[in-house]
């Protein structure tokens, strides 16, 4: 890890020293851009689903069958060329409503970059290199994986007890994706090589993967680093894209989470067939008190709170805990596959996502074992392009979220452990 840090520091020093050695040809002019996407979403969910558990231990079920969902960002970006040929630039994106909670930093991405014959160096808050180079299943409405309404649980609600691939320390989102997003957009440094014969490599180092905008020095000891590679070229009428990635997060309690990804796409005569895969392995288990985190709620291993009375009561009632002992095993895997066809202004697609992830697995006391938590999502999407900047979108699908504890549970708790349903949505996407 120290070598990686030294290499990253050296690259940054070389890049920024080059900037100081040559003046800019002209000042950076900031341009405004971004996108606005709004959905009208309808969902028919399982009537047995009882929603979240309240502090008093009772169930809460309050879900609309129709809702409005949005995703909007305003971009501020600019660049300039230096006299020595280097390019430098800045990018800042502002969350502009739709799903922001308005309680955290509204800035989504914020970074500076330097680009030249050596490649591209990025410094700030953004997604890691393995993520940026990742290839996955296509979706006509761009409504899939970590950008999707259904894969985020915004259409059919995902029970908190159902573990997803990316609920790791430092990331509290619920998106179901084969991409590596464990570090979210924590401050980091990334380097990308120039493309050579269609091949590009990238590397990322994250000093503190636990949070964004951490102004303290070494406060959590949750470092991360990763690598990615992407290949893109055409062979006659066939387009080929492929990717591979590795990312390791060193958790502050001494654990390390390893994530391996791969993906590919083949395109021909308007058709695109693609898919991707992620394998996640947690190297060390932990022991401690039963908590809501034990049941898959968003939270970190290191900052695991003492379990509430309600959570402890459920663990005992299900016969999977004594209220004291358990261990974590975050091992899991997920994949997606999809087929897309585009002709003129029309694009249609069908995609499938599946993940199986170990949620709460008890320790050597041998109190119980259970199957993996599973998530299955089927989605068909369509797009009609009115112009290069205005699209009419639609998606329909089915989602199923099931805890590995479901088959062990008594009837009183089954409604907390599984939900499924059908959904449909239509929306408008604007680029500016």
């Amino acid at each position: 890890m120290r070598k990686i840090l030294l290499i990253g520091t050296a690259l940054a020093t070389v890049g920024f020293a080059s900037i100081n050695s040559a003046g800019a040809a002209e000042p950076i002019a900031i341009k405004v851009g971004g996108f606005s996407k709004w959905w009208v979403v309808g969902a028919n969910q399982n009537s047995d689903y009882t929603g979240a558990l309240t502090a008093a231990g009772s169930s809460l079920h309050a879900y609309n069958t129709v809702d409005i969902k949005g995703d909007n960002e305003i971009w501020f970006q600019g660049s300039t060329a230096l006299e020595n040929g280097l390019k430098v630039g800045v990018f800042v994106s502002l969350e502009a409503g739709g799903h922001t909670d308005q309680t955290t930093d509204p800035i989504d991405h914020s970074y500076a970059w330097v680009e030249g014959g050596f490649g591209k160096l990025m410094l700030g808050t953004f997604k890691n290199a393995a993520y940026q180079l990742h290839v996955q299943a296509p979706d006509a409405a761009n409504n899939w994986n970590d950008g999707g309404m259904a894969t985020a649980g915004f259409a059919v609600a995902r029970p908190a007890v159902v573990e997803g691939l990316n609920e790791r320390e430092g990331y509290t989102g619920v998106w179901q994706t084969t991409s590596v997003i464990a570090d979210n957009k924590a401050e980091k440094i990334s380097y990308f090589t120039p493309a050579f014969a269609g091949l590009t490599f990238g590397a990322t180092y994250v000093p503190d993967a636990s949070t964004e905008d951490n102004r303290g020095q070494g406060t959590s000891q949750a470092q991360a680093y990763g690598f990615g590679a992407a290949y893109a070229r055409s062979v006659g009428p066939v387009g080929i894209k492929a990717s591979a990635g590795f990312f390791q997060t060193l958790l502050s309690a001494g654990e390390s989470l390893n994530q391996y990804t791969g993906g590919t796409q083949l395109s021909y005569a308007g058709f695109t067939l693609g898919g991707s895969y992620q394998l996640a392995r947690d190297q060390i288990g932990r022991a401690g008190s039963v908590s809501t985190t034990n049941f898959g709620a968003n939270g970190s291993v290191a900052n695991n709170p003492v379990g509430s009375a309600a959570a402890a009561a459920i663990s005992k009632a299900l016969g999977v805990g004594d209220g004291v002992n358990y261990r974590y095993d975050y091992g899991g895997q997920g994949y997606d596959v999809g087929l897309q066809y585009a002709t003129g202004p029309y694009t249609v697609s069908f995609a499938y996502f599946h993940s199986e992830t170990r949620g709460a697995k008890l320790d050597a006391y041998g109190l119980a074992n259970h199957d993996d938590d599973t998530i299955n999502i089927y989605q068909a999407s369509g797009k009609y392009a009115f112009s290069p900047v205005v699209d009419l979108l639609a998606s329909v699908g089915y989602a199923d979220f099931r805890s590995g504890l479901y088959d062990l549970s008594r009837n009183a708790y089954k409604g907390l452990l599984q939900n499924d349903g059908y959904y449909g949505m239509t929306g408008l996407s604007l680029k500016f």
Side-chain angles (χ1 to χ4, degrees), residues 324-350:
V324 177
N325 298 293
Y326 72 94
R327 75 178 178 86
Y328 277 88
D329 182 356
Y330 275 141
Q333 60 182 334
Y335 64 87
D336 69 355
V337 60
L339 178 64
Q340 177 178 285
Y341 177 69
T343 178
Y346 299 95
T347 306
V348 293
S349 66
F350 177 79

Side-chain angles (χ1 to χ4, degrees), residues 49-354:
Y49 177 53
T50 53
L53 189 71
T54 67
S58 61
S59 63
L60 175 66
H61 189 190
Y63 291 94
N64 292 334
T65 56
V66 178
D67 208 345
I68 307 297
K69 303 293 184 183
D71 188 8
N72 301 266
E73 290 186 10
I74 299 175
W75 298 344
F76 305 91
Q77 56 189 323
S79 63
T80 189
L82 305 182
E83 294 176 355
N84 60 5
L86 289 179
K87 292 183 178 180
V88 297
V90 63
F91 179 91
V92 177
S93 61
L94 173 68
E95 291 286 359
H99 64 265
T100 177
D101 60 12
Q102 300 298 324
T103 61
T104 57
D105 188 351
I107 299 299
D108 191 24
H109 297 75
S110 179
Y111 59 88
W113 54 269
V114 182
E115 188 173 16
F118 63 90
K120 186 174 185 178
L121 187 69
M122 300 171 63
L123 191 66
T125 61
F126 50 88
K127 297 293 181 63
N128 61 71
Y131 175 96
Q132 293 194 44
L133 298 177
H134 185 57
V135 176
Q136 58 195 34
D139 183 85
N142 193 25
N143 189 26
W144 193 241
N145 263 306
D146 60 306
M149 293 290 106
T151 50
F154 294 156
V156 176
R158 185 202 59 148
V161 301
V162 178
E163 183 82 16
L165 273 176
N166 286 283
E167 292 182 67
R168 307 289 180 245
E169 178 166 8
Y171 187 74
T172 57
V174 295
W175 284 279
Q176 312 313 315
T177 176
T178 57
S179 302
V180 173
I181 55 175
D183 62 316
N184 198 13
K185 293 179 288 292
E187 286 89 346
K188 58 179 63 73
I189 182 171
S190 287
Y191 167 71
F192 296 89
T193 68
F196 177 75
L199 190 62
T200 302
F201 295 94
T204 292
Y205 173 68
V206 190
D208 183 355
S210 65
T211 184
E212 295 180 52
D213 303 313
N214 182 16
R215 294 169 178 81
Q217 178 69 26
T219 58
S220 74
Q221 300 178 0
Q223 300 181 69
Y225 68 93
F227 310 93
Y231 177 77
R233 69 177 305 174
S234 296
V235 180
V238 179
I240 303 172
K241 292 183 179 180
S243 68
F246 167 77
F247 202 79
Q248 182 178 73
T249 305
L250 304 174
L251 304 181
S252 56
E255 295 182 276
S256 60
L257 172 69
N258 297 331
Q259 294 174 276
Y260 308 85
T261 63
T264 187
Q265 284 188 3
L266 297 175
S267 58
Y268 174 77
F271 288 93
T272 301
L273 175 65
S276 58
Y277 176 78
Q278 183 192 137
L279 174 67
R281 284 290 178 261
D282 188 4
Q283 290 187 346
I284 305 173
R286 283 178 55 81
S289 299
V290 169
S291 73
T292 53
T293 306
N294 186 24
F295 290 88
N298 296 324
S300 70
V301 175
N303 299 317
N304 177 32
V306 175
S308 66
I314 288 180
S315 69
K316 291 181 179 180
L318 298 183
V320 296
D322 61 0
V324 177
N325 298 293
Y326 72 94
R327 75 178 178 86
Y328 277 88
D329 182 356
Y330 275 141
Q333 60 182 334
Y335 64 87
D336 69 355
V337 60
L339 178 64
Q340 177 178 285
Y341 177 69
T343 178
Y346 299 95
T347 306
V348 293
S349 66
F350 177 79
Y352 168 67
F353 173 87
H354 172 81

Side-chain angles (χ1 to χ4, degrees), residues 21-44:
S21 66
E26 57 185 51
I28 294 178
I30 297 297
K31 299 180 181 179
V32 178
F35 64 88
S36 179
K37 185 184 294 185
W38 287 98
W39 295 96
V40 178
V41 184
N44 181 16

Side-chain angles (χ1 to χ4, degrees), residues 382-430:
K383 178 180 74 173
Y384 178 79
F386 289 107
S387 75
V389 296
V390 180
D391 297 325
L392 178 65
L393 310 173
S395 293
V396 295
Y398 170 79
D400 178 82
F401 305 93
R402 187 179 296 262
S403 167
L405 299 172
Y406 182 79
D407 292 333
L408 295 175
S409 67
R410 296 183 174 92
N411 291 335
Y413 296 98
K414 281 186 179 290
L416 291 168
L417 304 176
Q418 189 268 345
N419 189 27
D420 69 323
Y422 297 90
Y423 61 87
M425 63 188 82
T426 184
L428 194 64
S429 175
L430 310 175

